[in-house]
Short mmCIF file of all heavy atoms in Angstrom, two decimals:
data_model
loop_
_atom_site.label_atom_id
_atom_site.label_comp_id
_atom_site.label_asym_id
_atom_site.label_seq_id
_atom_site.Cartn_x
_atom_site.Cartn_y
_atom_site.Cartn_z
N MET I 142 27.43 -12.94 -6.46
CA MET I 142 26.20 -13.53 -5.93
C MET I 142 25.41 -12.49 -5.12
O MET I 142 25.99 -11.88 -4.17
CB MET I 142 26.51 -14.78 -5.05
CG MET I 142 27.19 -15.85 -5.81
SD MET I 142 26.11 -16.83 -6.81
CE MET I 142 25.41 -17.91 -5.59
N ARG I 143 24.15 -12.34 -5.37
CA ARG I 143 23.35 -11.55 -4.51
C ARG I 143 22.04 -12.34 -4.14
O ARG I 143 21.69 -13.27 -4.86
CB ARG I 143 22.93 -10.23 -5.12
CG ARG I 143 23.02 -10.07 -6.48
CD ARG I 143 22.83 -8.74 -7.05
NE ARG I 143 22.36 -8.85 -8.39
CZ ARG I 143 21.08 -8.83 -8.70
NH1 ARG I 143 20.16 -8.59 -7.80
NH2 ARG I 143 20.69 -9.02 -9.92
N ARG I 144 21.51 -12.00 -3.07
CA ARG I 144 20.38 -12.69 -2.56
C ARG I 144 19.22 -12.38 -3.51
O ARG I 144 19.02 -11.26 -3.96
CB ARG I 144 19.96 -12.21 -1.16
CG ARG I 144 19.02 -13.15 -0.50
CD ARG I 144 18.97 -12.85 0.96
NE ARG I 144 18.32 -11.52 1.26
CZ ARG I 144 17.92 -11.15 2.47
NH1 ARG I 144 18.06 -11.94 3.47
NH2 ARG I 144 17.46 -9.96 2.60
N CYS I 145 18.45 -13.40 -3.83
CA CYS I 145 17.35 -13.25 -4.73
C CYS I 145 16.24 -12.38 -4.08
O CYS I 145 15.89 -12.65 -2.93
CB CYS I 145 16.76 -14.65 -5.05
SG CYS I 145 15.26 -14.60 -6.06
N HIS I 146 15.82 -11.40 -4.78
CA HIS I 146 14.81 -10.47 -4.19
C HIS I 146 13.42 -11.06 -4.23
O HIS I 146 12.56 -10.62 -3.51
CB HIS I 146 14.92 -9.12 -4.92
CG HIS I 146 14.62 -9.16 -6.34
ND1 HIS I 146 13.34 -9.24 -6.87
CD2 HIS I 146 15.46 -9.19 -7.43
CE1 HIS I 146 13.45 -9.28 -8.20
NE2 HIS I 146 14.65 -9.30 -8.55
N ARG I 147 13.21 -12.01 -5.06
CA ARG I 147 11.81 -12.56 -5.18
C ARG I 147 11.55 -13.48 -3.94
O ARG I 147 10.49 -13.41 -3.38
CB ARG I 147 11.63 -13.33 -6.47
CG ARG I 147 10.21 -13.87 -6.54
CD ARG I 147 10.05 -14.69 -7.81
NE ARG I 147 9.90 -13.84 -8.99
CZ ARG I 147 9.74 -14.34 -10.20
NH1 ARG I 147 9.75 -15.60 -10.44
NH2 ARG I 147 9.58 -13.49 -11.25
N CYS I 148 12.46 -14.37 -3.63
CA CYS I 148 12.27 -15.29 -2.56
C CYS I 148 12.99 -14.92 -1.34
O CYS I 148 13.00 -15.60 -0.37
CB CYS I 148 12.65 -16.65 -3.02
SG CYS I 148 14.41 -16.83 -3.45
N THR I 149 13.69 -13.78 -1.37
CA THR I 149 14.50 -13.29 -0.26
C THR I 149 15.46 -14.37 0.29
O THR I 149 15.65 -14.52 1.50
CB THR I 149 13.61 -12.69 0.91
OG1 THR I 149 12.81 -13.78 1.46
CG2 THR I 149 12.75 -11.60 0.40
N GLY I 150 15.98 -15.13 -0.62
CA GLY I 150 17.06 -16.06 -0.28
C GLY I 150 16.58 -17.41 0.17
O GLY I 150 17.43 -18.31 0.43
N SER I 151 15.28 -17.60 0.24
CA SER I 151 14.77 -18.91 0.73
C SER I 151 14.76 -19.95 -0.36
O SER I 151 14.73 -21.15 -0.02
CB SER I 151 13.36 -18.74 1.27
OG SER I 151 12.46 -18.43 0.20
N GLY I 152 14.77 -19.49 -1.61
CA GLY I 152 14.70 -20.45 -2.73
C GLY I 152 13.29 -20.91 -2.99
O GLY I 152 13.06 -21.67 -3.95
N GLN I 153 12.38 -20.55 -2.17
CA GLN I 153 10.97 -20.93 -2.30
C GLN I 153 10.12 -19.65 -2.53
O GLN I 153 10.34 -18.70 -1.84
CB GLN I 153 10.48 -21.68 -1.06
CG GLN I 153 11.16 -22.96 -0.74
CD GLN I 153 10.85 -24.04 -1.78
OE1 GLN I 153 9.69 -24.29 -2.06
NE2 GLN I 153 11.86 -24.64 -2.34
N ALA I 154 9.20 -19.75 -3.49
CA ALA I 154 8.39 -18.59 -3.76
C ALA I 154 6.92 -19.04 -3.56
O ALA I 154 6.64 -20.19 -3.79
CB ALA I 154 8.58 -18.09 -5.16
N PRO I 155 6.05 -18.15 -3.24
CA PRO I 155 4.65 -18.53 -3.10
C PRO I 155 4.12 -19.11 -4.43
O PRO I 155 4.48 -18.59 -5.50
CB PRO I 155 3.89 -17.23 -2.81
CG PRO I 155 4.94 -16.36 -2.16
CD PRO I 155 6.25 -16.77 -2.80
N CYS I 156 3.36 -20.14 -4.33
CA CYS I 156 2.82 -20.76 -5.61
C CYS I 156 2.08 -19.79 -6.40
O CYS I 156 1.18 -19.11 -5.82
CB CYS I 156 2.00 -21.89 -5.18
SG CYS I 156 1.23 -22.78 -6.56
N GLN I 157 2.29 -19.72 -7.69
CA GLN I 157 1.63 -18.77 -8.57
C GLN I 157 0.20 -19.32 -8.97
O GLN I 157 -0.55 -18.55 -9.45
CB GLN I 157 2.45 -18.54 -9.82
CG GLN I 157 3.79 -17.84 -9.52
CD GLN I 157 3.57 -16.46 -8.86
OE1 GLN I 157 2.97 -15.60 -9.50
NE2 GLN I 157 4.05 -16.30 -7.69
N VAL I 158 0.00 -20.62 -8.77
CA VAL I 158 -1.23 -21.23 -9.19
C VAL I 158 -2.33 -20.89 -8.09
O VAL I 158 -3.43 -20.53 -8.48
CB VAL I 158 -1.09 -22.72 -9.45
CG1 VAL I 158 -2.41 -23.35 -9.75
CG2 VAL I 158 -0.04 -23.00 -10.48
N CYS I 159 -1.96 -21.13 -6.87
CA CYS I 159 -2.93 -20.95 -5.80
C CYS I 159 -2.65 -19.73 -4.96
O CYS I 159 -3.29 -19.43 -3.94
CB CYS I 159 -2.95 -22.17 -4.91
SG CYS I 159 -1.35 -22.44 -4.07
N PHE I 160 -1.61 -18.97 -5.33
CA PHE I 160 -1.22 -17.76 -4.62
C PHE I 160 -0.95 -17.99 -3.19
O PHE I 160 -1.33 -17.28 -2.29
CB PHE I 160 -2.26 -16.64 -4.81
CG PHE I 160 -2.54 -16.31 -6.23
CD1 PHE I 160 -3.68 -16.79 -6.86
CD2 PHE I 160 -1.60 -15.54 -6.98
CE1 PHE I 160 -3.90 -16.51 -8.19
CE2 PHE I 160 -1.85 -15.27 -8.27
CZ PHE I 160 -2.96 -15.77 -8.89
N GLY I 161 -0.29 -19.18 -2.95
CA GLY I 161 0.15 -19.45 -1.58
C GLY I 161 -0.97 -20.07 -0.73
O GLY I 161 -0.70 -20.30 0.51
N GLN I 162 -2.08 -20.41 -1.30
CA GLN I 162 -3.19 -20.98 -0.47
C GLN I 162 -3.03 -22.46 -0.25
O GLN I 162 -3.49 -23.03 0.72
CB GLN I 162 -4.51 -20.74 -1.15
CG GLN I 162 -4.85 -19.24 -1.33
CD GLN I 162 -5.02 -18.53 0.02
OE1 GLN I 162 -5.80 -18.94 0.83
NE2 GLN I 162 -4.17 -17.50 0.20
N GLY I 163 -2.35 -23.16 -1.20
CA GLY I 163 -2.20 -24.59 -1.14
C GLY I 163 -3.36 -25.37 -1.63
O GLY I 163 -3.30 -26.55 -1.80
N THR I 164 -4.45 -24.65 -1.87
CA THR I 164 -5.67 -25.32 -2.44
C THR I 164 -6.20 -24.42 -3.54
O THR I 164 -5.98 -23.20 -3.60
CB THR I 164 -6.76 -25.47 -1.36
OG1 THR I 164 -7.07 -24.18 -0.78
CG2 THR I 164 -6.34 -26.42 -0.27
N THR I 165 -6.94 -25.06 -4.40
CA THR I 165 -7.68 -24.31 -5.40
C THR I 165 -9.12 -24.73 -5.31
O THR I 165 -9.43 -25.83 -4.86
CB THR I 165 -7.17 -24.61 -6.86
OG1 THR I 165 -7.24 -26.04 -7.03
CG2 THR I 165 -5.74 -24.17 -7.03
N HIS I 166 -9.98 -23.84 -5.65
CA HIS I 166 -11.40 -24.17 -5.61
C HIS I 166 -12.00 -23.88 -6.99
O HIS I 166 -12.36 -22.75 -7.29
CB HIS I 166 -12.21 -23.52 -4.51
CG HIS I 166 -11.77 -22.16 -4.18
ND1 HIS I 166 -12.36 -21.05 -4.64
CD2 HIS I 166 -10.78 -21.71 -3.39
CE1 HIS I 166 -11.76 -19.95 -4.18
NE2 HIS I 166 -10.82 -20.32 -3.42
N ARG I 167 -12.04 -24.91 -7.79
CA ARG I 167 -12.43 -24.69 -9.16
C ARG I 167 -13.74 -25.52 -9.38
O ARG I 167 -14.34 -25.44 -10.43
CB ARG I 167 -11.41 -25.21 -10.11
CG ARG I 167 -11.01 -26.65 -9.86
CD ARG I 167 -9.70 -27.04 -10.42
NE ARG I 167 -9.22 -28.20 -9.70
CZ ARG I 167 -8.07 -28.84 -9.97
NH1 ARG I 167 -7.35 -28.48 -10.96
NH2 ARG I 167 -7.75 -29.83 -9.27
N ARG I 168 -14.18 -26.17 -8.40
CA ARG I 168 -15.49 -26.93 -8.52
C ARG I 168 -16.42 -26.45 -7.46
O ARG I 168 -16.07 -25.90 -6.40
CB ARG I 168 -15.23 -28.45 -8.27
CG ARG I 168 -14.40 -29.07 -9.34
CD ARG I 168 -14.37 -30.62 -9.15
NE ARG I 168 -13.57 -30.99 -8.03
CZ ARG I 168 -14.04 -31.77 -7.00
NH1 ARG I 168 -15.29 -32.19 -7.04
NH2 ARG I 168 -13.22 -32.14 -6.08
N LEU I 169 -17.68 -26.69 -7.74
CA LEU I 169 -18.73 -26.41 -6.72
C LEU I 169 -19.38 -27.74 -6.34
O LEU I 169 -19.62 -28.58 -7.22
CB LEU I 169 -19.78 -25.46 -7.30
CG LEU I 169 -19.25 -24.04 -7.74
CD1 LEU I 169 -20.38 -23.23 -8.32
CD2 LEU I 169 -18.70 -23.28 -6.56
N ASP I 170 -19.65 -27.89 -5.09
CA ASP I 170 -20.39 -29.08 -4.73
C ASP I 170 -21.90 -28.89 -5.04
O ASP I 170 -22.33 -27.87 -5.55
CB ASP I 170 -20.09 -29.44 -3.28
CG ASP I 170 -20.77 -28.43 -2.27
OD1 ASP I 170 -21.52 -27.60 -2.70
OD2 ASP I 170 -20.39 -28.53 -1.06
N ARG I 171 -22.65 -29.90 -4.66
CA ARG I 171 -24.04 -29.86 -5.02
C ARG I 171 -24.81 -28.79 -4.30
O ARG I 171 -26.00 -28.49 -4.62
CB ARG I 171 -24.73 -31.24 -4.90
CG ARG I 171 -24.71 -31.75 -3.43
CD ARG I 171 -24.96 -33.26 -3.45
NE ARG I 171 -24.85 -33.79 -2.16
CZ ARG I 171 -25.90 -34.03 -1.37
NH1 ARG I 171 -27.12 -33.73 -1.75
NH2 ARG I 171 -25.70 -34.56 -0.18
N PHE I 172 -24.21 -28.20 -3.31
CA PHE I 172 -24.88 -27.07 -2.60
C PHE I 172 -24.40 -25.70 -3.15
O PHE I 172 -24.76 -24.67 -2.63
CB PHE I 172 -24.57 -27.12 -1.13
CG PHE I 172 -25.01 -28.44 -0.47
CD1 PHE I 172 -24.11 -29.37 -0.04
CD2 PHE I 172 -26.37 -28.66 -0.31
CE1 PHE I 172 -24.46 -30.56 0.55
CE2 PHE I 172 -26.77 -29.86 0.26
CZ PHE I 172 -25.84 -30.82 0.67
N GLY I 173 -23.50 -25.80 -4.13
CA GLY I 173 -23.00 -24.58 -4.75
C GLY I 173 -21.84 -23.96 -3.97
O GLY I 173 -21.46 -22.83 -4.22
N LYS I 174 -21.29 -24.67 -3.07
CA LYS I 174 -20.12 -24.19 -2.29
C LYS I 174 -18.82 -24.63 -2.94
O LYS I 174 -18.82 -25.75 -3.47
CB LYS I 174 -20.16 -24.67 -0.83
CG LYS I 174 -21.40 -24.09 -0.08
CD LYS I 174 -21.49 -24.75 1.31
CE LYS I 174 -20.36 -24.39 2.18
NZ LYS I 174 -20.56 -24.89 3.52
N PRO I 175 -17.82 -23.83 -2.91
CA PRO I 175 -16.56 -24.17 -3.57
C PRO I 175 -15.95 -25.43 -2.90
O PRO I 175 -15.95 -25.52 -1.63
CB PRO I 175 -15.66 -22.97 -3.38
CG PRO I 175 -16.56 -21.85 -3.02
CD PRO I 175 -17.78 -22.47 -2.37
N VAL I 176 -15.43 -26.28 -3.68
CA VAL I 176 -14.74 -27.45 -3.22
C VAL I 176 -13.24 -27.19 -3.27
O VAL I 176 -12.73 -26.80 -4.32
CB VAL I 176 -15.07 -28.70 -4.06
CG1 VAL I 176 -14.25 -29.91 -3.58
CG2 VAL I 176 -16.57 -29.01 -3.98
N HIS I 177 -12.57 -27.31 -2.16
CA HIS I 177 -11.16 -27.03 -2.10
C HIS I 177 -10.36 -28.27 -2.46
O HIS I 177 -10.37 -29.30 -1.79
CB HIS I 177 -10.77 -26.55 -0.71
CG HIS I 177 -11.34 -25.23 -0.38
ND1 HIS I 177 -10.68 -24.03 -0.60
CD2 HIS I 177 -12.56 -24.90 0.10
CE1 HIS I 177 -11.50 -23.03 -0.24
NE2 HIS I 177 -12.65 -23.52 0.21
N ASP I 178 -9.69 -28.15 -3.61
CA ASP I 178 -8.83 -29.21 -4.11
C ASP I 178 -7.32 -28.90 -3.78
O ASP I 178 -7.03 -27.69 -3.78
CB ASP I 178 -8.95 -29.43 -5.56
CG ASP I 178 -10.24 -30.10 -5.92
OD1 ASP I 178 -10.75 -30.89 -5.09
OD2 ASP I 178 -10.76 -29.91 -7.06
N ARG I 179 -6.58 -29.86 -3.55
CA ARG I 179 -5.15 -29.58 -3.40
C ARG I 179 -4.60 -29.03 -4.67
O ARG I 179 -4.91 -29.48 -5.77
CB ARG I 179 -4.40 -30.89 -3.08
CG ARG I 179 -2.95 -30.70 -2.64
CD ARG I 179 -2.37 -31.92 -2.22
NE ARG I 179 -2.20 -32.85 -3.41
CZ ARG I 179 -1.52 -33.98 -3.39
NH1 ARG I 179 -1.03 -34.37 -2.29
NH2 ARG I 179 -1.46 -34.72 -4.50
N CYS I 180 -3.78 -27.99 -4.55
CA CYS I 180 -3.25 -27.32 -5.72
C CYS I 180 -2.36 -28.22 -6.56
O CYS I 180 -1.49 -28.87 -5.94
CB CYS I 180 -2.51 -26.07 -5.27
SG CYS I 180 -1.65 -25.21 -6.55
N ASP I 181 -2.54 -28.22 -7.84
CA ASP I 181 -1.70 -28.97 -8.73
C ASP I 181 -0.33 -28.39 -8.91
O ASP I 181 0.59 -29.10 -9.27
CB ASP I 181 -2.38 -29.14 -10.11
CG ASP I 181 -3.59 -30.02 -10.02
OD1 ASP I 181 -3.67 -30.89 -9.12
OD2 ASP I 181 -4.48 -29.81 -10.85
N GLY I 182 -0.20 -27.06 -8.69
CA GLY I 182 1.02 -26.42 -8.94
C GLY I 182 2.06 -26.71 -7.86
O GLY I 182 3.30 -26.85 -8.13
N CYS I 183 1.60 -26.78 -6.55
CA CYS I 183 2.55 -26.95 -5.48
C CYS I 183 2.20 -28.19 -4.64
O CYS I 183 2.86 -28.48 -3.67
CB CYS I 183 2.50 -25.73 -4.57
SG CYS I 183 0.85 -25.41 -3.88
N PHE I 184 1.18 -28.93 -5.03
CA PHE I 184 0.83 -30.12 -4.34
C PHE I 184 0.51 -29.87 -2.88
O PHE I 184 0.84 -30.64 -1.99
CB PHE I 184 1.86 -31.24 -4.50
CG PHE I 184 2.20 -31.54 -5.97
CD1 PHE I 184 3.34 -31.05 -6.50
CD2 PHE I 184 1.28 -32.27 -6.73
CE1 PHE I 184 3.60 -31.30 -7.85
CE2 PHE I 184 1.57 -32.54 -8.04
CZ PHE I 184 2.71 -32.00 -8.62
N GLY I 185 -0.10 -28.68 -2.62
CA GLY I 185 -0.45 -28.36 -1.29
C GLY I 185 0.67 -27.82 -0.43
O GLY I 185 0.35 -27.50 0.74
N ARG I 186 1.79 -27.66 -0.93
CA ARG I 186 2.94 -27.14 -0.14
C ARG I 186 2.93 -25.61 -0.03
O ARG I 186 3.72 -25.06 0.71
CB ARG I 186 4.25 -27.65 -0.69
CG ARG I 186 4.43 -29.15 -0.51
CD ARG I 186 5.77 -29.54 -1.12
NE ARG I 186 5.78 -29.25 -2.53
CZ ARG I 186 6.86 -29.23 -3.30
NH1 ARG I 186 8.05 -29.52 -2.71
NH2 ARG I 186 6.84 -28.95 -4.56
N LYS I 187 2.13 -24.97 -0.85
CA LYS I 187 1.95 -23.50 -0.90
C LYS I 187 3.11 -22.74 -1.49
O LYS I 187 2.98 -21.56 -1.81
CB LYS I 187 1.71 -23.00 0.55
CG LYS I 187 0.46 -23.64 1.17
CD LYS I 187 0.24 -23.07 2.57
CE LYS I 187 -1.04 -23.73 3.20
NZ LYS I 187 -1.23 -23.30 4.60
N THR I 188 4.26 -23.37 -1.58
CA THR I 188 5.37 -22.69 -2.23
C THR I 188 5.90 -23.60 -3.34
O THR I 188 5.73 -24.80 -3.31
CB THR I 188 6.53 -22.43 -1.20
OG1 THR I 188 6.88 -23.64 -0.61
CG2 THR I 188 6.06 -21.44 -0.14
N THR I 189 6.54 -22.97 -4.30
CA THR I 189 7.21 -23.71 -5.31
C THR I 189 8.66 -23.19 -5.39
O THR I 189 8.99 -22.18 -4.82
CB THR I 189 6.55 -23.47 -6.68
OG1 THR I 189 6.44 -22.08 -6.94
CG2 THR I 189 5.14 -24.07 -6.69
N ARG I 190 9.49 -23.88 -6.09
CA ARG I 190 10.82 -23.45 -6.28
C ARG I 190 10.81 -22.09 -6.98
O ARG I 190 10.16 -21.97 -8.00
CB ARG I 190 11.63 -24.48 -7.10
CG ARG I 190 13.10 -24.25 -7.06
CD ARG I 190 13.83 -25.31 -7.84
NE ARG I 190 13.49 -25.28 -9.31
CZ ARG I 190 14.03 -26.01 -10.17
NH1 ARG I 190 14.97 -26.89 -9.80
NH2 ARG I 190 13.71 -25.94 -11.41
N CYS I 191 11.61 -21.18 -6.46
CA CYS I 191 11.63 -19.88 -7.04
C CYS I 191 12.13 -19.94 -8.48
O CYS I 191 13.26 -20.51 -8.74
CB CYS I 191 12.48 -18.93 -6.15
SG CYS I 191 12.68 -17.31 -6.81
N GLY I 192 11.37 -19.35 -9.41
CA GLY I 192 11.78 -19.40 -10.78
C GLY I 192 12.86 -18.41 -11.13
O GLY I 192 13.57 -18.59 -12.15
N LEU I 193 13.07 -17.44 -10.28
CA LEU I 193 14.06 -16.39 -10.60
C LEU I 193 15.44 -16.87 -10.33
O LEU I 193 16.38 -16.63 -11.06
CB LEU I 193 13.70 -15.17 -9.83
CG LEU I 193 14.46 -13.89 -10.23
CD1 LEU I 193 14.12 -13.52 -11.67
CD2 LEU I 193 14.07 -12.75 -9.29
N CYS I 194 15.60 -17.63 -9.24
CA CYS I 194 16.97 -18.12 -8.83
C CYS I 194 17.05 -19.66 -8.97
O CYS I 194 18.00 -20.22 -8.59
CB CYS I 194 17.24 -17.69 -7.40
SG CYS I 194 16.11 -18.36 -6.22
N ASN I 195 15.95 -20.27 -9.48
CA ASN I 195 15.92 -21.71 -9.63
C ASN I 195 16.13 -22.45 -8.28
O ASN I 195 16.74 -23.47 -8.22
CB ASN I 195 16.97 -22.25 -10.68
CG ASN I 195 16.48 -21.96 -12.07
OD1 ASN I 195 15.33 -22.16 -12.43
ND2 ASN I 195 17.43 -21.50 -12.91
N GLY I 196 15.58 -21.84 -7.24
CA GLY I 196 15.67 -22.48 -5.93
C GLY I 196 16.95 -22.33 -5.23
O GLY I 196 17.14 -22.88 -4.12
N GLU I 197 17.88 -21.56 -5.80
CA GLU I 197 19.19 -21.38 -5.19
C GLU I 197 19.15 -20.32 -4.04
O GLU I 197 19.96 -20.44 -3.12
CB GLU I 197 20.22 -20.92 -6.21
CG GLU I 197 20.42 -21.92 -7.35
CD GLU I 197 21.18 -23.14 -6.83
OE1 GLU I 197 22.05 -23.02 -5.94
OE2 GLU I 197 20.87 -24.26 -7.33
N GLY I 198 18.25 -19.39 -4.15
CA GLY I 198 18.20 -18.31 -3.13
C GLY I 198 19.14 -17.16 -3.47
O GLY I 198 19.12 -16.14 -2.89
N PHE I 199 20.02 -17.41 -4.45
CA PHE I 199 21.00 -16.37 -4.80
C PHE I 199 21.04 -16.28 -6.36
O PHE I 199 20.78 -17.26 -7.08
CB PHE I 199 22.40 -16.69 -4.33
CG PHE I 199 22.54 -16.54 -2.85
CD1 PHE I 199 22.31 -17.68 -2.03
CD2 PHE I 199 22.88 -15.35 -2.28
CE1 PHE I 199 22.39 -17.57 -0.64
CE2 PHE I 199 22.99 -15.26 -0.90
CZ PHE I 199 22.75 -16.35 -0.09
N ILE I 200 21.32 -15.11 -6.83
CA ILE I 200 21.49 -14.89 -8.26
C ILE I 200 22.95 -14.59 -8.52
O ILE I 200 23.57 -13.72 -7.88
CB ILE I 200 20.60 -13.73 -8.76
CG1 ILE I 200 19.15 -14.05 -8.51
CG2 ILE I 200 20.89 -13.53 -10.29
CD1 ILE I 200 18.26 -12.88 -8.79
N ALA I 201 23.52 -15.34 -9.45
CA ALA I 201 24.94 -15.17 -9.73
C ALA I 201 25.22 -13.77 -10.38
O ALA I 201 24.36 -13.25 -11.10
CB ALA I 201 25.46 -16.19 -10.69
ZN1 ZN C 512 -0.22 -23.96 -5.33
ZN1 ZN C 513 14.63 -16.75 -5.68
#
């Protein structure tokens, strides 16, 4: 077992959809300013389960 290098053992990796922002802005309001929506990838948590270690934090 070695510690996962992607998540450094936390089992959580920055969301790839919002790049760790927790929000996405794909719409513009009527003033032309971006509307921040909660990210669908991480549901606003900013991190997702690490895909490399499946959230274990270690790689066998
Ligand atoms: Zn996200
Ligand atoms: Zn990992």
Side-chain angles (χ1 to χ4, degrees):
M142 296 282 279
R143 19 189 208 96
R144 194 167 69 167
C145 176
H146 60 80
R147 180 182 285 177
C148 63
T149 63
S151 68
Q153 298 289 310
C156 177
Q157 296 297 299
V158 178
C159 63
F160 303 102
Q162 298 297 303
T164 57
T165 56
H166 37 96
R167 56 200 158 177
R168 292 189 287 126
L169 299 178
D170 70 11
R171 60 198 175 96
F172 303 108
K174 294 173 67 175
V176 176
H177 292 266
D178 285 333
R179 192 177 65 173
C180 174
D181 290 333
C183 60
F184 305 102
R186 291 179 300 165
K187 301 181 183 178
T188 57
T189 55
R190 192 177 66 174
C191 176
L193 194 60
C194 63
N195 285 318
E197 297 291 324
F199 291 89
I200 299 173

